[in-house]
Amino acid sequence: MFEGKVKTVIDKVDALRHKVDDHWQVPRVEAEVLAQIVRLGHCVSLCEIGTSYGFSTLHLAAATREAGGHVDAFDLDPKKIAAAGAHLAEAGLSATVTLHQGDARQTVRAFHPAKPYDFAFIDATKDQSDGYLDALLPHLAKVAILVTDNTATHAQELAGFVARLRALPGATGCQVPVGNGFDLTVVRRA
Ligand SMILES: C[S@@+](CC[C@H](N)C(=O)[O-])C[C@H]1O[C@@H](n2cnc3c(N)ncnc32)[C@H](O)[C@@H]1O
């Protein structure tokens, strides 16, 4: 899917699954499908909530860079933010990503993106998902893709959140049984 140093770093970060117990990154096939969604949607202003060591971020950034896009990536853990920054630099993707450390319920709310987000990936603490969405909603573009990870692996925990996504004005959505299973919602506002 990607070549050169981007692929080299993706391979390296993929291997963290076997080396660290707090990587919690999406399966590779899921990261690749997310990258294709970004490409298909011509998404250029991305928000990622839950960056960890940067595995999904590398895919989102490499995909949106092709369209001149940008990713705001948020994570609570300073150690992971530092590691993700090093991985993105090694992949030559630093200019495409801004890393934000802190609780995304506050940091996303307080941040003013250069362009409204046309793609958001929610992959952090599951029972905080409503808080992430509350923070995100004011920043969404008129047409925005919202991806929520783990709707198969944490189906019960996320059922109420998925119901909320379905009820958003202008929203359509479906479940995608790839990787951890994710919800794919498109919000189209008048
Ligand atoms: C499942 S991991 C993200 C994996 C990453 N998306 C990937 O696939 O490579 C979840 C991350 O969310 C972060 N996190 C948890 N609660 C958070 C919060 N309230 N605000 C920001 N980040 C949070 C954790 O530090 C952790 O790195």
Side-chain angles (χ1 to χ4, degrees):
M1 163 157 289
F2 298 110
E3 292 172 359
K5 56 187 177 180
V6 171
K7 180 183 181 312
T8 303
V9 180
I10 285 175
D11 288 344
K12 175 176 151 178
V13 181
D14 199 11
L16 291 179
R17 287 173 212 284
H18 312 295
K19 294 181 186 155
V20 296
D21 60 8
D22 66 347
H23 63 88
W24 307 324
Q25 58 210 22
V26 292
R28 190 159 182 155
V29 64
E30 182 175 347
E32 291 180 347
V33 170
L34 296 185
Q36 292 300 71
I37 292 170
V38 168
R39 284 172 163 150
L40 281 166
H42 306 287
C43 302
V44 292
S45 185
L46 281 60
C47 176
E48 177 182 66
I49 298 178
T51 298
S52 193
Y53 292 98
F55 184 69
S56 52
T57 327
L58 287 159
H59 289 79
L60 299 177
T64 195
R65 180 170 65 176
E66 297 163 7
H70 186 268
V71 183
D72 285 309
F74 297 81
D75 203 285
L76 192 56
D77 185 337
K79 173 193 75 174
K80 289 183 167 183
I81 285 282
H87 294 143
L88 291 160
E90 200 179 335
L93 286 164
S94 297
T96 304
V97 181
T98 304
L99 292 161
H100 306 258
Q101 191 267 317
D103 185 328
R105 290 170 295 179
Q106 281 90 50
T107 50
V108 171
R109 187 183 295 275
F111 185 67
H112 297 287
K115 289 182 191 162
Y117 294 128
D118 53 16
F119 179 99
F121 180 43
I122 299 176
D123 185 21
T125 303
K126 304 310 157 193
D127 66 6
Q128 296 177 359
S129 298
D130 279 306
Y132 306 142
L133 184 60
D134 290 341
L136 256 177
L137 281 174
H139 301 316
L140 292 184
K142 282 197 169 174
V143 179
I145 296 170
L146 302 182
V147 174
T148 303
D149 192 35
N150 299 108
T151 52
T153 56
H154 296 61
Q156 223 175 348
E157 205 173 343
L158 286 168
F161 184 66
V162 170
R164 181 181 175 198
L165 290 170
R166 291 289 172 282
L168 289 174
T172 54
C174 66
Q175 296 300 311
V176 183
V178 171
N180 297 325
F182 62 90
D183 178 88
L184 177 59
T185 290
V186 177
V187 183
R188 205 175 282 272
R189 290 178 301 147

